[in-house]
mmCIF file of all heavy atoms in Angstrom:
data_model
loop_
_atom_site.group_PDB
_atom_site.id
_atom_site.type_symbol
_atom_site.label_atom_id
_atom_site.label_comp_id
_atom_site.label_asym_id
_atom_site.label_seq_id
_atom_site.Cartn_x
_atom_site.Cartn_y
_atom_site.Cartn_z
ATOM 1 N N MET Z 1 22.848 -10.358 14.766
ATOM 2 C CA MET Z 1 21.454 -10.238 15.182
ATOM 3 C C MET Z 1 21.411 -9.667 16.585
ATOM 4 O O MET Z 1 21.863 -10.270 17.529
ATOM 5 C CB MET Z 1 20.779 -11.612 15.146
ATOM 6 C CG MET Z 1 20.529 -12.092 13.740
ATOM 7 S SD MET Z 1 19.716 -13.687 13.535
ATOM 8 C CE MET Z 1 18.732 -13.889 14.940
ATOM 9 N N ARG Z 2 20.813 -8.524 16.684
ATOM 10 C CA ARG Z 2 20.763 -7.877 17.990
ATOM 11 C C ARG Z 2 19.586 -8.345 18.818
ATOM 12 O O ARG Z 2 19.720 -8.566 20.000
ATOM 13 C CB ARG Z 2 20.712 -6.377 17.822
ATOM 14 C CG ARG Z 2 21.987 -5.837 17.239
ATOM 15 C CD ARG Z 2 21.944 -4.354 17.165
ATOM 16 N NE ARG Z 2 23.201 -3.898 16.627
ATOM 17 C CZ ARG Z 2 23.868 -2.891 17.129
ATOM 18 N NH1 ARG Z 2 23.397 -2.219 18.123
ATOM 19 N NH2 ARG Z 2 25.008 -2.540 16.598
ATOM 20 N N ASN Z 3 18.436 -8.480 18.183
ATOM 21 C CA ASN Z 3 17.262 -8.870 18.949
ATOM 22 C C ASN Z 3 16.472 -9.900 18.140
ATOM 23 O O ASN Z 3 15.748 -9.541 17.212
ATOM 24 C CB ASN Z 3 16.407 -7.648 19.257
ATOM 25 C CG ASN Z 3 15.383 -7.944 20.313
ATOM 26 O OD1 ASN Z 3 15.120 -9.094 20.621
ATOM 27 N ND2 ASN Z 3 14.800 -6.907 20.859
ATOM 28 N N PRO Z 4 16.568 -11.176 18.515
ATOM 29 C CA PRO Z 4 15.872 -12.212 17.741
ATOM 30 C C PRO Z 4 14.356 -12.101 17.815
ATOM 31 O O PRO Z 4 13.662 -12.548 16.911
ATOM 32 C CB PRO Z 4 16.339 -13.521 18.363
ATOM 33 C CG PRO Z 4 17.330 -13.195 19.394
ATOM 34 C CD PRO Z 4 17.412 -11.728 19.553
ATOM 35 N N LEU Z 5 13.831 -11.478 18.859
ATOM 36 C CA LEU Z 5 12.388 -11.313 18.976
ATOM 37 C C LEU Z 5 11.843 -10.412 17.869
ATOM 38 O O LEU Z 5 10.784 -10.678 17.300
ATOM 39 C CB LEU Z 5 12.030 -10.743 20.353
ATOM 40 C CG LEU Z 5 10.550 -10.584 20.643
ATOM 41 C CD1 LEU Z 5 9.853 -11.939 20.604
ATOM 42 C CD2 LEU Z 5 10.361 -9.925 21.984
ATOM 43 N N ILE Z 6 12.579 -9.390 17.531
ATOM 44 C CA ILE Z 6 12.155 -8.493 16.450
ATOM 45 C C ILE Z 6 12.179 -9.237 15.115
ATOM 46 O O ILE Z 6 11.275 -9.082 14.291
ATOM 47 C CB ILE Z 6 13.049 -7.240 16.415
ATOM 48 C CG1 ILE Z 6 12.788 -6.403 17.661
ATOM 49 C CG2 ILE Z 6 12.795 -6.431 15.150
ATOM 50 C CD1 ILE Z 6 13.684 -5.214 17.797
ATOM 51 N N TRP Z 7 13.200 -10.051 14.886
ATOM 52 C CA TRP Z 7 13.268 -10.846 13.660
ATOM 53 C C TRP Z 7 12.098 -11.808 13.570
ATOM 54 O O TRP Z 7 11.475 -11.951 12.515
ATOM 55 C CB TRP Z 7 14.582 -11.619 13.605
ATOM 56 C CG TRP Z 7 15.741 -10.760 13.253
ATOM 57 C CD1 TRP Z 7 16.561 -10.102 14.111
ATOM 58 C CD2 TRP Z 7 16.198 -10.420 11.946
ATOM 59 N NE1 TRP Z 7 17.497 -9.390 13.421
ATOM 60 C CE2 TRP Z 7 17.304 -9.579 12.087
ATOM 61 C CE3 TRP Z 7 15.763 -10.778 10.670
ATOM 62 C CZ2 TRP Z 7 17.994 -9.078 10.999
ATOM 63 C CZ3 TRP Z 7 16.455 -10.270 9.582
ATOM 64 C CH2 TRP Z 7 17.548 -9.432 9.753
ATOM 65 N N LEU Z 8 11.785 -12.479 14.671
ATOM 66 C CA LEU Z 8 10.661 -13.421 14.677
ATOM 67 C C LEU Z 8 9.345 -12.701 14.420
ATOM 68 O O LEU Z 8 8.498 -13.169 13.650
ATOM 69 C CB LEU Z 8 10.597 -14.164 16.008
ATOM 70 C CG LEU Z 8 11.579 -15.305 16.171
ATOM 71 C CD1 LEU Z 8 11.522 -15.839 17.594
ATOM 72 C CD2 LEU Z 8 11.282 -16.399 15.182
ATOM 73 N N LEU Z 9 9.162 -11.561 15.057
ATOM 74 C CA LEU Z 9 7.937 -10.793 14.869
ATOM 75 C C LEU Z 9 7.784 -10.369 13.414
ATOM 76 O O LEU Z 9 6.710 -10.472 12.832
ATOM 77 C CB LEU Z 9 7.951 -9.562 15.783
ATOM 78 C CG LEU Z 9 6.709 -8.716 15.791
ATOM 79 C CD1 LEU Z 9 5.557 -9.482 16.427
ATOM 80 C CD2 LEU Z 9 6.968 -7.430 16.536
ATOM 81 N N TYR Z 10 8.879 -9.937 12.826
ATOM 82 C CA TYR Z 10 8.829 -9.493 11.443
ATOM 83 C C TYR Z 10 8.501 -10.645 10.502
ATOM 84 O O TYR Z 10 7.593 -10.561 9.674
ATOM 85 C CB TYR Z 10 10.155 -8.847 11.045
ATOM 86 C CG TYR Z 10 10.172 -8.389 9.615
ATOM 87 C CD1 TYR Z 10 9.547 -7.217 9.240
ATOM 88 C CD2 TYR Z 10 10.792 -9.153 8.635
ATOM 89 C CE1 TYR Z 10 9.549 -6.801 7.926
ATOM 90 C CE2 TYR Z 10 10.801 -8.746 7.320
ATOM 91 C CZ TYR Z 10 10.181 -7.571 6.971
ATOM 92 O OH TYR Z 10 10.180 -7.175 5.677
ATOM 93 N N PHE Z 11 9.235 -11.741 10.614
ATOM 94 C CA PHE Z 11 9.092 -12.832 9.659
ATOM 95 C C PHE Z 11 7.853 -13.688 9.894
ATOM 96 O O PHE Z 11 7.330 -14.284 8.966
ATOM 97 C CB PHE Z 11 10.340 -13.706 9.642
ATOM 98 C CG PHE Z 11 11.470 -13.063 8.910
ATOM 99 C CD1 PHE Z 11 12.573 -12.607 9.593
ATOM 100 C CD2 PHE Z 11 11.413 -12.886 7.540
ATOM 101 C CE1 PHE Z 11 13.616 -12.000 8.924
ATOM 102 C CE2 PHE Z 11 12.448 -12.278 6.859
ATOM 103 C CZ PHE Z 11 13.556 -11.833 7.561
ATOM 104 N N LEU Z 12 7.362 -13.752 11.115
ATOM 105 C CA LEU Z 12 6.196 -14.586 11.389
ATOM 106 C C LEU Z 12 4.882 -13.814 11.393
ATOM 107 O O LEU Z 12 3.823 -14.409 11.237
ATOM 108 C CB LEU Z 12 6.369 -15.307 12.733
ATOM 109 C CG LEU Z 12 7.509 -16.311 12.782
ATOM 110 C CD1 LEU Z 12 7.619 -16.903 14.169
ATOM 111 C CD2 LEU Z 12 7.326 -17.399 11.743
ATOM 112 N N LEU Z 13 4.944 -12.506 11.554
ATOM 113 C CA LEU Z 13 3.705 -11.723 11.610
ATOM 114 C C LEU Z 13 3.576 -10.759 10.439
ATOM 115 O O LEU Z 13 2.622 -10.824 9.679
ATOM 116 C CB LEU Z 13 3.634 -10.952 12.936
ATOM 117 C CG LEU Z 13 2.391 -10.099 13.131
ATOM 118 C CD1 LEU Z 13 1.168 -10.990 13.290
ATOM 119 C CD2 LEU Z 13 2.550 -9.209 14.327
ATOM 120 N N PHE Z 14 4.540 -9.878 10.274
ATOM 121 C CA PHE Z 14 4.402 -8.811 9.284
ATOM 122 C C PHE Z 14 4.557 -9.299 7.845
ATOM 123 O O PHE Z 14 3.842 -8.837 6.957
ATOM 124 C CB PHE Z 14 5.393 -7.676 9.566
ATOM 125 C CG PHE Z 14 5.097 -6.951 10.839
ATOM 126 C CD1 PHE Z 14 6.035 -6.875 11.834
ATOM 127 C CD2 PHE Z 14 3.869 -6.365 11.041
ATOM 128 C CE1 PHE Z 14 5.767 -6.206 13.007
ATOM 129 C CE2 PHE Z 14 3.578 -5.699 12.208
ATOM 130 C CZ PHE Z 14 4.532 -5.619 13.199
ATOM 131 N N SER Z 15 5.468 -10.206 7.598
ATOM 132 C CA SER Z 15 5.652 -10.697 6.227
ATOM 133 C C SER Z 15 4.421 -11.420 5.697
ATOM 134 O O SER Z 15 3.931 -11.088 4.610
ATOM 135 C CB SER Z 15 6.878 -11.593 6.137
ATOM 136 O OG SER Z 15 8.029 -10.851 6.394
ATOM 137 N N PRO Z 16 3.861 -12.410 6.415
ATOM 138 C CA PRO Z 16 2.653 -13.065 5.896
ATOM 139 C C PRO Z 16 1.455 -12.113 5.803
ATOM 140 O O PRO Z 16 0.674 -12.197 4.872
ATOM 141 C CB PRO Z 16 2.368 -14.178 6.902
ATOM 142 C CG PRO Z 16 3.627 -14.401 7.622
ATOM 143 C CD PRO Z 16 4.359 -13.099 7.601
ATOM 144 N N LEU Z 17 1.354 -11.192 6.749
ATOM 145 C CA LEU Z 17 0.245 -10.239 6.716
ATOM 146 C C LEU Z 17 0.332 -9.339 5.488
ATOM 147 O O LEU Z 17 -0.669 -9.096 4.812
ATOM 148 C CB LEU Z 17 0.239 -9.404 7.992
ATOM 149 C CG LEU Z 17 -0.913 -8.445 8.157
ATOM 150 C CD1 LEU Z 17 -2.233 -9.198 8.218
ATOM 151 C CD2 LEU Z 17 -0.719 -7.618 9.400
ATOM 152 N N SER Z 18 1.518 -8.877 5.165
ATOM 153 C CA SER Z 18 1.658 -8.019 3.983
ATOM 154 C C SER Z 18 1.386 -8.796 2.696
ATOM 155 O O SER Z 18 0.815 -8.254 1.751
ATOM 156 C CB SER Z 18 3.038 -7.384 3.946
ATOM 157 O OG SER Z 18 4.015 -8.363 3.721
ATOM 158 N N LEU Z 19 1.782 -10.061 2.653
ATOM 159 C CA LEU Z 19 1.485 -10.876 1.471
ATOM 160 C C LEU Z 19 -0.015 -11.085 1.299
ATOM 161 O O LEU Z 19 -0.535 -11.014 0.178
ATOM 162 C CB LEU Z 19 2.193 -12.220 1.566
ATOM 163 C CG LEU Z 19 3.700 -12.185 1.394
ATOM 164 C CD1 LEU Z 19 4.293 -13.566 1.669
ATOM 165 C CD2 LEU Z 19 4.069 -11.700 0.021
ATOM 166 N N LEU Z 20 -0.724 -11.311 2.394
ATOM 167 C CA LEU Z 20 -2.181 -11.475 2.314
ATOM 168 C C LEU Z 20 -2.868 -10.195 1.853
ATOM 169 O O LEU Z 20 -3.795 -10.235 1.046
ATOM 170 C CB LEU Z 20 -2.736 -11.912 3.668
ATOM 171 C CG LEU Z 20 -2.472 -13.353 4.051
ATOM 172 C CD1 LEU Z 20 -2.944 -13.609 5.472
ATOM 173 C CD2 LEU Z 20 -3.146 -14.298 3.083
ATOM 174 N N VAL Z 21 -2.411 -9.069 2.350
ATOM 175 C CA VAL Z 21 -3.002 -7.787 1.935
ATOM 176 C C VAL Z 21 -2.780 -7.571 0.448
ATOM 177 O O VAL Z 21 -3.684 -7.157 -0.276
ATOM 178 C CB VAL Z 21 -2.416 -6.626 2.764
ATOM 179 C CG1 VAL Z 21 -2.763 -5.290 2.155
ATOM 180 C CG2 VAL Z 21 -2.920 -6.694 4.189
ATOM 181 N N ARG Z 22 -1.588 -7.870 -0.036
ATOM 182 C CA ARG Z 22 -1.303 -7.679 -1.462
ATOM 183 C C ARG Z 22 -2.066 -8.644 -2.345
ATOM 184 O O ARG Z 22 -2.366 -8.337 -3.492
ATOM 185 C CB ARG Z 22 0.186 -7.821 -1.714
ATOM 186 C CG ARG Z 22 0.974 -6.680 -1.136
ATOM 187 C CD ARG Z 22 2.434 -6.860 -1.372
ATOM 188 N NE ARG Z 22 3.194 -5.938 -0.555
ATOM 189 C CZ ARG Z 22 4.494 -5.929 -0.506
ATOM 190 N NH1 ARG Z 22 5.193 -6.781 -1.218
ATOM 191 N NH2 ARG Z 22 5.123 -5.069 0.251
ATOM 192 N N LEU Z 23 -2.376 -9.836 -1.841
ATOM 193 C CA LEU Z 23 -3.123 -10.804 -2.639
ATOM 194 C C LEU Z 23 -4.594 -10.433 -2.788
ATOM 195 O O LEU Z 23 -5.188 -10.636 -3.839
ATOM 196 C CB LEU Z 23 -3.021 -12.193 -2.004
ATOM 197 C CG LEU Z 23 -1.732 -12.956 -2.241
ATOM 198 C CD1 LEU Z 23 -1.754 -14.254 -1.450
ATOM 199 C CD2 LEU Z 23 -1.539 -13.242 -3.709
ATOM 200 N N PHE Z 24 -5.192 -9.896 -1.738
ATOM 201 C CA PHE Z 24 -6.632 -9.676 -1.737
ATOM 202 C C PHE Z 24 -7.054 -8.219 -1.840
ATOM 203 O O PHE Z 24 -8.230 -7.925 -1.966
ATOM 204 C CB PHE Z 24 -7.257 -10.284 -0.475
ATOM 205 C CG PHE Z 24 -7.092 -11.766 -0.422
ATOM 206 C CD1 PHE Z 24 -6.231 -12.349 0.489
ATOM 207 C CD2 PHE Z 24 -7.783 -12.584 -1.301
ATOM 208 C CE1 PHE Z 24 -6.073 -13.721 0.532
ATOM 209 C CE2 PHE Z 24 -7.629 -13.958 -1.269
ATOM 210 C CZ PHE Z 24 -6.771 -14.526 -0.350
ATOM 211 N N HIS Z 25 -6.111 -7.295 -1.788
ATOM 212 C CA HIS Z 25 -6.456 -5.874 -1.852
ATOM 213 C C HIS Z 25 -5.320 -5.135 -2.536
ATOM 214 O O HIS Z 25 -4.153 -5.432 -2.306
ATOM 215 C CB HIS Z 25 -6.668 -5.321 -0.440
ATOM 216 C CG HIS Z 25 -6.965 -3.861 -0.400
ATOM 217 N ND1 HIS Z 25 -8.133 -3.336 -0.905
ATOM 218 C CD2 HIS Z 25 -6.251 -2.821 0.079
ATOM 219 C CE1 HIS Z 25 -8.107 -2.022 -0.732
ATOM 220 N NE2 HIS Z 25 -6.990 -1.690 -0.140
ATOM 221 N N ASP Z 26 -5.671 -4.186 -3.363
ATOM 222 C CA ASP Z 26 -4.672 -3.375 -4.043
ATOM 223 C C ASP Z 26 -4.675 -1.983 -3.422
ATOM 224 O O ASP Z 26 -5.483 -1.134 -3.801
ATOM 225 C CB ASP Z 26 -4.986 -3.305 -5.536
ATOM 226 C CG ASP Z 26 -3.902 -2.617 -6.326
ATOM 227 O OD1 ASP Z 26 -2.817 -2.373 -5.767
ATOM 228 O OD2 ASP Z 26 -4.139 -2.331 -7.504
ATOM 229 N N PRO Z 27 -3.821 -1.715 -2.452
ATOM 230 C CA PRO Z 27 -3.869 -0.435 -1.759
ATOM 231 C C PRO Z 27 -3.546 0.763 -2.655
ATOM 232 O O PRO Z 27 -3.977 1.876 -2.371
ATOM 233 C CB PRO Z 27 -2.841 -0.574 -0.634
ATOM 234 C CG PRO Z 27 -2.044 -1.771 -0.945
ATOM 235 C CD PRO Z 27 -2.798 -2.601 -1.916
ATOM 236 N N LEU Z 28 -2.827 0.563 -3.732
ATOM 237 C CA LEU Z 28 -2.499 1.668 -4.631
ATOM 238 C C LEU Z 28 -3.489 1.805 -5.781
ATOM 239 O O LEU Z 28 -3.345 2.679 -6.622
ATOM 240 C CB LEU Z 28 -1.083 1.485 -5.198
ATOM 241 C CG LEU Z 28 0.043 1.529 -4.190
ATOM 242 C CD1 LEU Z 28 1.375 1.264 -4.890
ATOM 243 C CD2 LEU Z 28 0.068 2.847 -3.471
ATOM 244 N N ARG Z 29 -4.495 0.952 -5.811
ATOM 245 C CA ARG Z 29 -5.523 0.944 -6.859
ATOM 246 C C ARG Z 29 -4.907 0.899 -8.256
ATOM 247 O O ARG Z 29 -5.271 1.647 -9.149
ATOM 248 C CB ARG Z 29 -6.453 2.149 -6.724
ATOM 249 C CG ARG Z 29 -7.275 2.108 -5.481
ATOM 250 C CD ARG Z 29 -8.223 3.239 -5.442
ATOM 251 N NE ARG Z 29 -7.435 4.487 -5.316
ATOM 252 C CZ ARG Z 29 -7.942 5.684 -5.410
ATOM 253 N NH1 ARG Z 29 -9.213 5.837 -5.616
ATOM 254 N NH2 ARG Z 29 -7.193 6.742 -5.285
ATOM 255 N N ARG Z 30 -3.905 0.030 -8.404
ATOM 256 C CA ARG Z 30 -3.290 -0.156 -9.711
ATOM 257 C C ARG Z 30 -4.168 -1.101 -10.503
ATOM 258 O O ARG Z 30 -4.564 -2.146 -10.030
ATOM 259 C CB ARG Z 30 -1.904 -0.768 -9.585
ATOM 260 C CG ARG Z 30 -0.927 0.088 -8.838
ATOM 261 C CD ARG Z 30 0.299 -0.685 -8.553
ATOM 262 N NE ARG Z 30 -0.106 -1.810 -7.692
ATOM 263 C CZ ARG Z 30 0.678 -2.776 -7.308
ATOM 264 N NH1 ARG Z 30 1.900 -2.818 -7.720
ATOM 265 N NH2 ARG Z 30 0.249 -3.738 -6.531
ATOM 266 N N GLY Z 31 -4.479 -0.752 -11.676
ATOM 267 C CA GLY Z 31 -5.291 -1.607 -12.516
ATOM 268 C C GLY Z 31 -5.474 -0.965 -13.876
ATOM 269 O O GLY Z 31 -5.420 0.249 -14.021
ATOM 270 N N TRP Z 32 -5.698 -1.771 -14.857
ATOM 271 C CA TRP Z 32 -5.847 -1.289 -16.214
ATOM 272 C C TRP Z 32 -7.316 -1.161 -16.541
ATOM 273 O O TRP Z 32 -8.069 -2.112 -16.428
ATOM 274 C CB TRP Z 32 -5.160 -2.249 -17.171
ATOM 275 C CG TRP Z 32 -5.252 -1.824 -18.591
ATOM 276 C CD1 TRP Z 32 -6.073 -2.336 -19.526
ATOM 277 C CD2 TRP Z 32 -4.508 -0.795 -19.223
ATOM 278 N NE1 TRP Z 32 -5.883 -1.700 -20.719
ATOM 279 C CE2 TRP Z 32 -4.929 -0.728 -20.553
ATOM 280 C CE3 TRP Z 32 -3.532 0.094 -18.794
ATOM 281 C CZ2 TRP Z 32 -4.401 0.166 -21.458
ATOM 282 C CZ3 TRP Z 32 -3.012 0.986 -19.693
ATOM 283 C CH2 TRP Z 32 -3.439 1.024 -21.008
ATOM 284 N N ASP Z 33 -7.735 0.020 -16.933
ATOM 285 C CA ASP Z 33 -9.103 0.260 -17.359
ATOM 286 C C ASP Z 33 -9.043 0.776 -18.793
ATOM 287 O O ASP Z 33 -8.697 1.928 -19.031
ATOM 288 C CB ASP Z 33 -9.773 1.285 -16.444
ATOM 289 C CG ASP Z 33 -11.231 1.495 -16.786
ATOM 290 O OD1 ASP Z 33 -11.771 0.742 -17.634
ATOM 291 O OD2 ASP Z 33 -11.843 2.414 -16.215
ATOM 292 N N PRO Z 34 -9.353 -0.075 -19.777
ATOM 293 C CA PRO Z 34 -9.233 0.355 -21.170
ATOM 294 C C PRO Z 34 -10.188 1.487 -21.540
ATOM 295 O O PRO Z 34 -9.924 2.239 -22.477
ATOM 296 C CB PRO Z 34 -9.563 -0.893 -21.978
ATOM 297 C CG PRO Z 34 -9.738 -2.002 -21.025
ATOM 298 C CD PRO Z 34 -9.735 -1.454 -19.644
ATOM 299 N N SER Z 35 -11.276 1.647 -20.810
ATOM 300 C CA SER Z 35 -12.221 2.711 -21.141
ATOM 301 C C SER Z 35 -11.850 4.047 -20.499
ATOM 302 O O SER Z 35 -12.490 5.059 -20.779
ATOM 303 C CB SER Z 35 -13.630 2.310 -20.697
ATOM 304 O OG SER Z 35 -13.688 2.201 -19.283
ATOM 305 N N ALA Z 36 -10.835 4.093 -19.671
ATOM 306 C CA ALA Z 36 -10.446 5.341 -19.007
ATOM 307 C C ALA Z 36 -9.692 6.244 -19.977
ATOM 308 O O ALA Z 36 -8.832 5.799 -20.722
ATOM 309 C CB ALA Z 36 -9.580 5.034 -17.795
ATOM 310 N N ALA Z 37 -10.038 7.528 -19.950
ATOM 311 C CA ALA Z 37 -9.331 8.491 -20.791
ATOM 312 C C ALA Z 37 -7.958 8.804 -20.200
ATOM 313 O O ALA Z 37 -7.001 9.040 -20.921
ATOM 314 C CB ALA Z 37 -10.153 9.770 -20.915
ATOM 315 N N HIS Z 38 -7.873 8.815 -18.877
ATOM 316 C CA HIS Z 38 -6.601 9.054 -18.187
ATOM 317 C C HIS Z 38 -6.720 8.480 -16.784
ATOM 318 O O HIS Z 38 -7.783 8.053 -16.357
ATOM 319 C CB HIS Z 38 -6.266 10.556 -18.146
ATOM 320 C CG HIS Z 38 -7.334 11.378 -17.496
ATOM 321 N ND1 HIS Z 38 -7.459 11.494 -16.135
ATOM 322 C CD2 HIS Z 38 -8.344 12.116 -18.023
ATOM 323 C CE1 HIS Z 38 -8.481 12.271 -15.856
ATOM 324 N NE2 HIS Z 38 -9.045 12.648 -16.976
ATOM 325 N N TYR Z 39 -5.628 8.495 -16.076
ATOM 326 C CA TYR Z 39 -5.608 7.950 -14.721
ATOM 327 C C TYR Z 39 -5.286 9.024 -13.690
ATOM 328 O O TYR Z 39 -4.892 8.736 -12.582
ATOM 329 C CB TYR Z 39 -4.582 6.813 -14.622
ATOM 330 C CG TYR Z 39 -5.052 5.582 -15.346
ATOM 331 C CD1 TYR Z 39 -4.680 5.338 -16.655
ATOM 332 C CD2 TYR Z 39 -5.875 4.668 -14.723
ATOM 333 C CE1 TYR Z 39 -5.108 4.220 -17.327
ATOM 334 C CE2 TYR Z 39 -6.317 3.539 -15.378
ATOM 335 C CZ TYR Z 39 -5.934 3.320 -16.675
ATOM 336 O OH TYR Z 39 -6.369 2.216 -17.321
ATOM 337 N N TRP Z 40 -5.453 10.258 -14.059
ATOM 338 C CA TRP Z 40 -5.178 11.370 -13.163
ATOM 339 C C TRP Z 40 -6.351 11.524 -12.199
ATOM 340 O O TRP Z 40 -7.505 11.549 -12.604
ATOM 341 C CB TRP Z 40 -4.979 12.639 -13.984
ATOM 342 C CG TRP Z 40 -4.570 13.806 -13.161
ATOM 343 C CD1 TRP Z 40 -5.363 14.776 -12.672
ATOM 344 C CD2 TRP Z 40 -3.242 14.121 -12.740
ATOM 345 N NE1 TRP Z 40 -4.639 15.685 -11.971
ATOM 346 C CE2 TRP Z 40 -3.325 15.299 -11.984
ATOM 347 C CE3 TRP Z 40 -2.016 13.511 -12.921
ATOM 348 C CZ2 TRP Z 40 -2.204 15.889 -11.413
ATOM 349 C CZ3 TRP Z 40 -0.910 14.102 -12.351
ATOM 350 C CH2 TRP Z 40 -1.017 15.278 -11.617
ATOM 351 N N HIS Z 41 -6.049 11.644 -10.926
ATOM 352 C CA HIS Z 41 -7.085 11.876 -9.917
ATOM 353 C C HIS Z 41 -7.052 13.345 -9.519
ATOM 354 O O HIS Z 41 -6.051 13.837 -9.004
ATOM 355 C CB HIS Z 41 -6.842 11.012 -8.670
ATOM 356 C CG HIS Z 41 -6.953 9.558 -8.952
ATOM 357 N ND1 HIS Z 41 -8.155 8.924 -9.093
ATOM 358 C CD2 HIS Z 41 -5.997 8.614 -9.126
ATOM 359 C CE1 HIS Z 41 -7.950 7.654 -9.332
ATOM 360 N NE2 HIS Z 41 -6.645 7.430 -9.376
ATOM 361 N N HIS Z 42 -8.141 14.034 -9.771
ATOM 362 C CA HIS Z 42 -8.218 15.446 -9.423
ATOM 363 C C HIS Z 42 -8.524 15.571 -7.936
ATOM 364 O O HIS Z 42 -9.453 14.959 -7.416
ATOM 365 C CB HIS Z 42 -9.303 16.144 -10.235
ATOM 366 C CG HIS Z 42 -9.001 16.161 -11.700
ATOM 367 N ND1 HIS Z 42 -8.075 17.014 -12.244
ATOM 368 C CD2 HIS Z 42 -9.473 15.407 -12.727
ATOM 369 C CE1 HIS Z 42 -8.001 16.800 -13.547
ATOM 370 N NE2 HIS Z 42 -8.838 15.820 -13.865
ATOM 371 N N LEU Z 43 -7.726 16.369 -7.254
ATOM 372 C CA LEU Z 43 -7.898 16.586 -5.826
ATOM 373 C C LEU Z 43 -8.358 18.009 -5.584
ATOM 374 O O LEU Z 43 -7.905 18.947 -6.232
ATOM 375 C CB LEU Z 43 -6.581 16.342 -5.090
ATOM 376 C CG LEU Z 43 -5.989 14.952 -5.227
ATOM 377 C CD1 LEU Z 43 -4.648 14.897 -4.512
ATOM 378 C CD2 LEU Z 43 -6.931 13.921 -4.655
ATOM 379 N N ARG Z 44 -9.255 18.142 -4.635
ATOM 380 C CA ARG Z 44 -9.683 19.480 -4.245
ATOM 381 C C ARG Z 44 -8.661 20.050 -3.268
ATOM 382 O O ARG Z 44 -8.185 19.346 -2.390
ATOM 383 C CB ARG Z 44 -11.048 19.408 -3.570
ATOM 384 C CG ARG Z 44 -12.157 19.189 -4.569
ATOM 385 C CD ARG Z 44 -13.482 19.204 -3.865
ATOM 386 N NE ARG Z 44 -13.905 17.800 -3.867
ATOM 387 C CZ ARG Z 44 -14.526 17.182 -2.895
ATOM 388 N NH1 ARG Z 44 -14.806 17.825 -1.789
ATOM 389 N NH2 ARG Z 44 -14.873 15.932 -2.978
ATOM 390 N N PRO Z 45 -8.310 21.330 -3.383
ATOM 391 C CA PRO Z 45 -7.355 21.911 -2.437
ATOM 392 C C PRO Z 45 -7.960 21.976 -1.041
ATOM 393 O O PRO Z 45 -9.165 22.159 -0.864
ATOM 394 C CB PRO Z 45 -7.084 23.305 -2.993
ATOM 395 C CG PRO Z 45 -8.200 23.587 -3.910
ATOM 396 C CD PRO Z 45 -8.740 22.272 -4.399
ATOM 397 N N SER Z 46 -7.104 21.828 -0.065
ATOM 398 C CA SER Z 46 -7.578 21.910 1.313
ATOM 399 C C SER Z 46 -7.837 23.364 1.682
ATOM 400 O O SER Z 46 -7.479 24.288 0.949
ATOM 401 C CB SER Z 46 -6.569 21.283 2.259
ATOM 402 O OG SER Z 46 -5.379 22.034 2.245
ATOM 403 N N GLU Z 47 -8.404 23.587 2.833
ATOM 404 C CA GLU Z 47 -8.753 24.957 3.266
ATOM 405 C C GLU Z 47 -7.512 25.830 3.428
ATOM 406 O O GLU Z 47 -7.567 27.010 3.191
ATOM 407 C CB GLU Z 47 -9.540 24.887 4.577
ATOM 408 C CG GLU Z 47 -10.913 24.286 4.431
ATOM 409 C CD GLU Z 47 -11.828 25.108 3.537
ATOM 410 O OE1 GLU Z 47 -11.749 26.360 3.582
ATOM 411 O OE2 GLU Z 47 -12.592 24.496 2.781
ATOM 412 N N GLY Z 48 -6.413 25.272 3.855
ATOM 413 C CA GLY Z 48 -5.205 26.066 4.080
ATOM 414 C C GLY Z 48 -4.499 26.470 2.798
ATOM 415 O O GLY Z 48 -3.694 27.385 2.798
ATOM 416 N N GLU Z 49 -4.795 25.847 1.667
ATOM 417 C CA GLU Z 49 -4.110 26.141 0.406
ATOM 418 C C GLU Z 49 -4.841 27.161 -0.443
ATOM 419 O O GLU Z 49 -4.360 27.552 -1.484
ATOM 420 C CB GLU Z 49 -3.936 24.850 -0.389
ATOM 421 C CG GLU Z 49 -3.031 23.852 0.274
ATOM 422 C CD GLU Z 49 -2.923 22.566 -0.518
ATOM 423 O OE1 GLU Z 49 -3.540 22.483 -1.600
ATOM 424 O OE2 GLU Z 49 -2.246 21.660 -0.060
ATOM 425 N N ARG Z 50 -5.983 27.588 -0.032
ATOM 426 C CA ARG Z 50 -6.753 28.539 -0.851
ATOM 427 C C ARG Z 50 -6.281 29.940 -0.661
ATOM 428 O O ARG Z 50 -5.758 30.400 0.234
ATOM 429 C CB ARG Z 50 -8.240 28.456 -0.506
ATOM 430 C CG ARG Z 50 -8.812 27.172 -0.979
ATOM 431 C CD ARG Z 50 -10.275 27.127 -0.708
ATOM 432 N NE ARG Z 50 -10.770 25.837 -1.167
ATOM 433 C CZ ARG Z 50 -12.013 25.441 -1.018
ATOM 434 N NH1 ARG Z 50 -12.876 26.220 -0.425
ATOM 435 N NH2 ARG Z 50 -12.389 24.285 -1.441
#
């Protein structure tokens, strides 16, 4: 262990915070929608790609 402060910060702050985010919010919008024809998201090209 090189720096115990970094370990403490990770395990006491970032780990519980990430668990809370995953419990109450789905950042990847994973979910089953039986009425959906597909799950493809159409994106508009940016100005530089035209």
